[in-house]
């Protein structure tokens, strides 16, 4: 059974038409949208993490708040940029958020996406010659920490001469099995499989073989699953993809989104030819048919729908309601609890 969730970038701008004029608006409305999504039977509430932007940047207080205000919906990230993280402190925060939610955290981590800050991670105190390698190394430390590996030793002077090992606290059993890696290439997807974490296939792929985005992404997913089987992990692998889906059911929807493009985009990203996925815009029945034919959507276990969060909770809840009623069933989804 396929799952669906929403993915919010958490934008805020004090401009005409924005329903999120401040960071407080963005945070509070994300919690309220998660509550509305849970009522609709949606499976997940996910947030994107960006630093130095008017977007969501500190996910764990927000996820913990959502976990405290809801009872069923999964909470997650897509993704946390590991370059910026202290992996041991992050292990404490992640475990706390997971415990508050009752084990509903689906944690997406990655090397991160291009950003406006020049060497932003260095500003946070983390310097490395290879940013991708630094992110992967931190991910491995983080995974070991949430698995209960010893990361420090006791001070014999304070423990009566007893020497031992200490693990990060708190621990949240099962969290290690709910970590995902955001992969922007086929090779990175295979690396995630070797590590034994689930795959969040990126909204853009930093490679272009000339085939449509959904076919390239589906190939990445198949290679990930093959690598997972090759490494003999006991758990079943899971894969998520995200899609921009904007159903038009009212005149205001046409005004907002009627001019959106319908094709993939290809361009240079940090000097690499990359392919970006299309936006699905139109009548719900048409979108449903197009998504059902999307090769990567068919391969995925979880489909995340990006939301235009600056249009407010009521508007986005209506979009999610339309997706839940008229689009998602075509890709094999049923409301949670149905």
């Amino acid at each position: 059974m396929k799952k669906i969730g929403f993915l919010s970038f958490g934008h805020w701008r004090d401009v005409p038409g924005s329903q999120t004029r401040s960071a407080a608006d963005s945070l509070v409305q994300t919690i309220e949208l998660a509550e509305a999504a849970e009522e609709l039977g949606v499976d997940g509430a996910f947030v994107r993490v960006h630093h130095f932007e008017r977007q969501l940047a500190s996910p764990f207080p927000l996820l913990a708040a959502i976990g405290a205000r809801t009872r069923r919906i999964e909470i997650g990230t897509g993704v946390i940029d590991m370059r910026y993280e202290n992996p041991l402190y992050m292990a404490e925060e992640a475990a706390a958020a997971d415990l508050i939610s009752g084990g509903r955290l689906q944690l997406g981590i990655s090397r991160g996406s291009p950003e406006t800050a020049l060497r932003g991670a260095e500003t946070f105190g983390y310097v490395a010659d290879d940013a991708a390698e630094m992110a992967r190394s931190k991910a491995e430390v983080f995974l070991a920490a949430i698995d209960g590996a010893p990361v420090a030793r006791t001070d014999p002077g304070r423990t009566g001469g007893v020497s031992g090992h200490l693990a990060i606290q708190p621990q949240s059993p099962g969290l290690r099995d709910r970590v995902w890696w955001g992969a922007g290439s086929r090779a990175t997807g295979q690396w995630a499989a070797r590590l034994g974490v689930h795959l969040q296939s990126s909204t853009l792929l930093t490679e272009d073989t000339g085939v449509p985005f959904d076919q390239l992404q589906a190939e990445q997913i198949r290679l990930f699953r093959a690598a997972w089987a090759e490494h003999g992990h006991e758990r079943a692998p899971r894969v998520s993809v995200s899609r921009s889906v904007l159903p038009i059911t009212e005149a205001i929807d046409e005004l907002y989104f009627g001019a959106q493009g319908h094709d993939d985009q290809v361009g240079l990203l940090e000097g690499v030819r990359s392919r970006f996925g299309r936006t699905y815009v139109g009548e719900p029945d048409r979108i449903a048919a197009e998504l059902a034919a999307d090769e990567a959507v068919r391969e995925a276990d979880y489909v995340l729908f990006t939301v235009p969060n600056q249009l407010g909770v009521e508007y986005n809840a209506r979009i999610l309601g339309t997706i839940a009623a008229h689009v998602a069933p075509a890709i094999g989804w049923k409301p949670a609890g149905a």
Side-chain angles (χ1 to χ4, degrees), residues 2-126:
K2 204 177 295 290
K3 290 188 175 184
I4 67 169
F6 75 80
L7 174 62
S8 176
F9 285 49
H11 296 283
W12 77 85
R13 294 289 187 280
D14 188 10
V15 295
S18 174
Q19 300 299 308
T20 53
R21 298 294 186 93
S22 67
D25 290 340
S26 179
L27 291 164
V28 171
Q29 289 186 28
T30 303
I31 298 168
E32 293 172 346
L33 184 58
E35 292 178 293
E38 182 171 73
E39 292 180 6
L40 292 167
V42 171
D43 301 289
F46 287 72
V47 296
R48 188 75 175 269
V49 180
H50 275 286
H51 299 285
F52 300 109
E53 303 272 3
R54 289 185 176 88
Q55 293 178 236
L56 302 174
S58 51
F60 293 110
L62 175 59
L63 294 175
I66 294 174
R69 288 269 290 268
T70 57
R71 291 293 175 266
R72 176 197 53 78
I73 198 167
E74 293 178 327
I75 57 176
T77 52
V79 290
I80 293 175
D81 187 334
M82 291 302 295
R83 294 175 298 169
Y84 284 82
E85 297 297 324
N86 176 319
L88 300 185
Y89 184 56
M90 178 178 165
E92 295 175 338
E93 291 189 305
D98 195 43
L99 290 168
I100 288 170
S101 71
R104 288 182 278 141
L105 182 59
Q106 301 288 338
L107 191 63
I109 61 177
S110 185
R111 179 261 187 219
S113 58
E115 57 186 355
T116 57
L118 178 63
R119 296 190 296 273
E122 291 186 18
T123 307
F124 276 47
Y126 303 116

Side-chain angles (χ1 to χ4, degrees), residues 22-328:
S22 67
D25 290 340
S26 179
L27 291 164
V28 171
Q29 289 186 28
T30 303
I31 298 168
E32 293 172 346
L33 184 58
E35 292 178 293
E38 182 171 73
E39 292 180 6
L40 292 167
V42 171
D43 301 289
F46 287 72
V47 296
R48 188 75 175 269
V49 180
H50 275 286
H51 299 285
F52 300 109
E53 303 272 3
R54 289 185 176 88
Q55 293 178 236
L56 302 174
S58 51
F60 293 110
L62 175 59
L63 294 175
I66 294 174
R69 288 269 290 268
T70 57
R71 291 293 175 266
R72 176 197 53 78
I73 198 167
E74 293 178 327
I75 57 176
T77 52
V79 290
I80 293 175
D81 187 334
M82 291 302 295
R83 294 175 298 169
Y84 284 82
E85 297 297 324
N86 176 319
L88 300 185
Y89 184 56
M90 178 178 165
E92 295 175 338
E93 291 189 305
D98 195 43
L99 290 168
I100 288 170
S101 71
R104 288 182 278 141
L105 182 59
Q106 301 288 338
L107 191 63
I109 61 177
S110 185
R111 179 261 187 219
S113 58
E115 57 186 355
T116 57
L118 178 63
R119 296 190 296 273
E122 291 186 18
T123 307
F124 276 47
Y126 303 116
V127 181
D129 294 332
D130 187 326
E133 182 56 36
M134 175 172 67
R136 293 184 185 193
S137 176
K138 286 187 174 187
E140 291 172 349
V141 173
F142 169 75
L143 291 172
I146 62 173
D147 239 354
V151 297
R153 295 190 64 84
T154 57
D155 179 356
R158 300 181 63 85
T159 57
V162 177
S163 179
H165 297 280
L166 297 171
I168 287 296
Q169 297 296 339
Q171 290 285 312
S172 186
L175 176 58
R176 172 64 173 80
D177 295 340
R178 287 177 274 112
V179 177
W180 306 61
W181 186 264
S185 70
R186 290 167 293 178
T188 307
Q190 291 171 301
W191 176 85
R194 290 195 294 273
L195 192 62
V197 294
H198 305 298
L199 172 67
Q200 282 187 341
S201 186
S202 176
T203 51
L204 63 92
L205 296 174
T206 54
E207 52 191 345
D208 179 35
T209 63
V211 303
F213 178 83
D214 69 307
Q215 294 179 24
L216 181 60
Q217 193 173 42
E219 181 185 354
Q220 179 200 44
I221 293 169
R222 289 190 288 268
L223 288 170
F224 163 78
R225 288 198 171 118
W228 186 283
E230 182 181 321
H231 286 83
H233 302 300
E234 295 182 1
R235 296 174 291 114
R238 300 175 70 197
V239 176
S240 75
V241 299
S242 58
R243 291 292 182 267
S244 177
V245 171
L246 301 168
I248 294 179
T249 59
E250 298 182 8
I252 190 65
D253 305 328
E254 179 69 36
L255 179 65
Y256 282 140
F257 307 121
Q260 291 274 354
H262 297 270
D263 299 316
D264 293 350
Q265 300 178 58
V266 178
L268 292 178
L269 184 66
E270 295 186 333
V272 178
R273 185 174 172 85
S274 306
R275 183 170 285 267
F276 304 74
R278 56 168 291 193
T279 297
Y280 290 84
V281 182
E283 296 180 354
D285 290 347
R286 173 184 150 192
I287 293 177
E290 291 175 340
L291 272 184
D294 184 306
E295 194 170 326
V297 168
R298 292 204 306 267
E299 290 278 354
D301 306 290
Y302 222 127
V303 180
L304 304 179
F305 297 100
T306 58
V307 294
N309 75 284
Q310 283 185 274
L311 295 180
V313 175
E314 183 178 351
Y315 189 90
N316 281 288
R318 179 170 66 80
I319 286 181
L320 290 175
T322 300
I323 290 173
H326 303 291
V327 176

